[in-house]
Every structure is written in structure tokens, then in C-alpha cells.
Amino acid sequence: MLFYICLALGIINLILFLIQRKPEVSLRVLFFKTTTSCLMILTALAAYYENQSCSLELALLFFAGCVCGLLGDIWLDAKYIFKAEENGLLKAGFTSFLIGHIFYSFAMFIAYGVSTITIICGVIGIAFGPFSCWFTEKTMKAEFGKSKLISLVYTAVLGFTTGVAVAVAIENDFALFSILRVVGMVLFFASDAVLAQIYFCKNKNTRLNVVINHLLYYGAQFLMASSLFVS
């Protein structure tokens, strides 16, 4: 019951946040965003608490990934408020998300081991990540500027984690927990594709793109948290 309560509160708070969120960011909006991320972490905690079969190591690393997501959320929106530190805060946000995906990868390594298919899917993912950056740059005229290196590294790590999630799903006969994680990772990719447009393409920082980006991102985070409930 606690898991469902936290999940419902998280969704309600997300809706309140999206009503407030516009291309411009205020401290009030940042508060709603931070609260949504906190409820995402509580959802993960409640999922572990109510699932006796979930391993502690897996849960702790997933919690760490969720916390990194919370920090990344704060840094990315703070750059709109503290204009002088915009570039540094952008890199801090990307780095936080990057570390979060590393935690997710290690969680799946520890819980399910490393196999040949894990390595193959991970390597494919590493290649696909930077390719998505290149594709965005060429087709959407994105200008990454000083953020190009961190964007390439981040997408490589994101691709690797996605590949690991796919491998785990294959090796576990697409059990529900593994499907939630694969869908979550795909949503992360979709969210970042929209985010790249908002940050690096001209005239793409629109309310619609902002809403789509956060719906995809929080959908991914809540799916990752919820996967602990059925692990």
C-alpha cells in the first residue's frame, strides 16, 4: 500500500509541477520539481520495503541513481536562475545524470552478473549513444558548443546502461521488472532527445517541449523505481 501511495503522490506532484513549469524557471517551480524527485526516491524506498525478495545491494544502488537524478534536476533548472553559472550548472546536471546511470548499471551487474550478451549489448549501446548526438547535430542543427564533450560521454553511458537493461531482460525471459527497466531507459533516451532540442537548438525552448521532456523523464524515473517492487 505504501508503494502505491508514494507513486500516486509523485504523479500528483508531477502534474502540479508541469502546470507551473514554463520555459522560464522560478524558485517556486524548482521547489515543485525537487518535491517530485523526492517522491520518486520515496517510491523506490517504498517499493524495496514492500518487496521482501528484492536484494539490498540492488536497492541501494538504485536509490543512489535516484538521488543523482534529484541532484541533476536541481542543477539543470538552477542554471535558469543563476545565469552567470549557466555552463557550470549544465555540466553539473549532465554529470549527475551520468553517475546515476552508472549506479543503475552496477546495480544490474551485481544482481544479475555479467555475461557475453551483457557485454555485446553494452558495447552496442556505447556506440549508439554518441551516434544519437551526431544525428541530433546533423538533422536538427543542434549547437552543443562547450557542452559537446560531456554530451558525448553522457550519451555513451546512457547507451551502455540501456544495453545492459536489454541484456538483463533477454536473460530473464522479459520478466516484468526487466521490461519496466528497458522501457524506462528508452524513455530516458527520448527525454534527452527533447532536452537536446531545448538546450541546443534555436527556438525549441517551448512550453510543449518542456512538458514532453519532463513527462518522459519522470516516467522513466518512476518506472525504474517501480521495478524494485516486482524484482
Side-chain angles (χ1 to χ4, degrees):
M1 179 62 72
L2 182 60
F3 163 73
Y4 292 109
I5 292 173
C6 291
L7 180 60
L9 289 174
I11 293 172
I12 292 170
N13 205 85
L14 174 59
I15 293 171
L16 293 175
F17 162 66
L18 291 176
I19 291 173
Q20 299 287 327
R21 183 65 162 88
K22 298 177 181 179
E24 304 79 21
V25 177
S26 64
L27 286 174
R28 180 179 181 182
V29 169
L30 186 56
F31 167 78
F32 274 106
K33 186 176 188 179
T34 303
T35 306
T36 303
S37 295
C38 287
L39 286 167
M40 173 262 294
I41 295 173
L42 287 176
T43 299
L45 288 168
Y48 168 70
Y49 176 75
E50 295 192 341
N51 181 11
Q52 300 299 318
S53 63
C54 181
S55 72
L56 177 60
E57 293 84 357
L58 176 71
L60 287 176
L61 287 167
F62 262 59
F63 298 156
C66 290
V67 171
C68 286
L70 166 64
L71 294 174
D73 292 337
I74 295 173
W75 304 144
L76 287 187
D77 269 8
K79 78 184 186 66
Y80 290 104
I81 300 173
F82 304 101
K83 296 290 187 179
E85 304 295 333
E86 181 175 354
N87 188 57
L89 289 169
L90 180 64
K91 290 181 179 179
F94 279 10
T95 302
S96 293
F97 290 134
L98 184 156
I99 295 172
H101 290 307
I102 291 175
F103 280 129
Y104 286 140
S105 294
F106 271 107
M108 289 184 280
F109 285 155
I110 291 174
Y112 311 108
V114 179
S115 65
T116 301
I117 192 170
T118 304
I119 296 171
I120 293 173
C121 290
V123 170
I124 293 173
I126 289 174
F128 180 78
F131 171 78
S132 66
C133 270
W134 174 84
F135 184 79
T136 303
E137 192 173 35
K138 295 300 181 183
T139 61
M140 300 179 185
K141 308 301 180 184
E143 298 178 1
F144 290 99
K146 295 180 180 179
S147 300
K148 188 166 187 176
L149 179 59
I150 185 64
S151 297
L152 289 171
V153 175
Y154 168 74
T155 53
V157 173
L158 175 59
F160 177 76
T161 308
T162 303
V164 172
V166 170
V168 169
I170 293 172
E171 294 184 326
N172 286 272
D173 298 321
F174 296 95
L176 179 57
F177 74 85
S178 66
I179 293 176
L180 292 179
R181 289 170 194 166
V182 171
V183 175
M185 295 310 301
V186 171
L187 290 182
F188 275 131
F189 252 114
S191 168
D192 289 332
V194 178
L195 191 66
Q197 295 180 53
I198 293 173
Y199 285 170
F200 306 119
C201 298
K202 293 181 179 179
N203 303 317
K204 293 294 184 178
N205 187 17
T206 64
R207 180 171 174 80
L208 178 60
N209 277 344
V210 167
V211 170
I212 292 174
N213 166 247
H214 285 96
L215 279 175
L216 292 170
Y217 167 73
Y218 277 110
Q221 288 284 33
F222 277 109
L223 282 176
M224 297 299 283
S226 299
S227 70
L228 296 177
F229 188 63
V230 291
S231 291

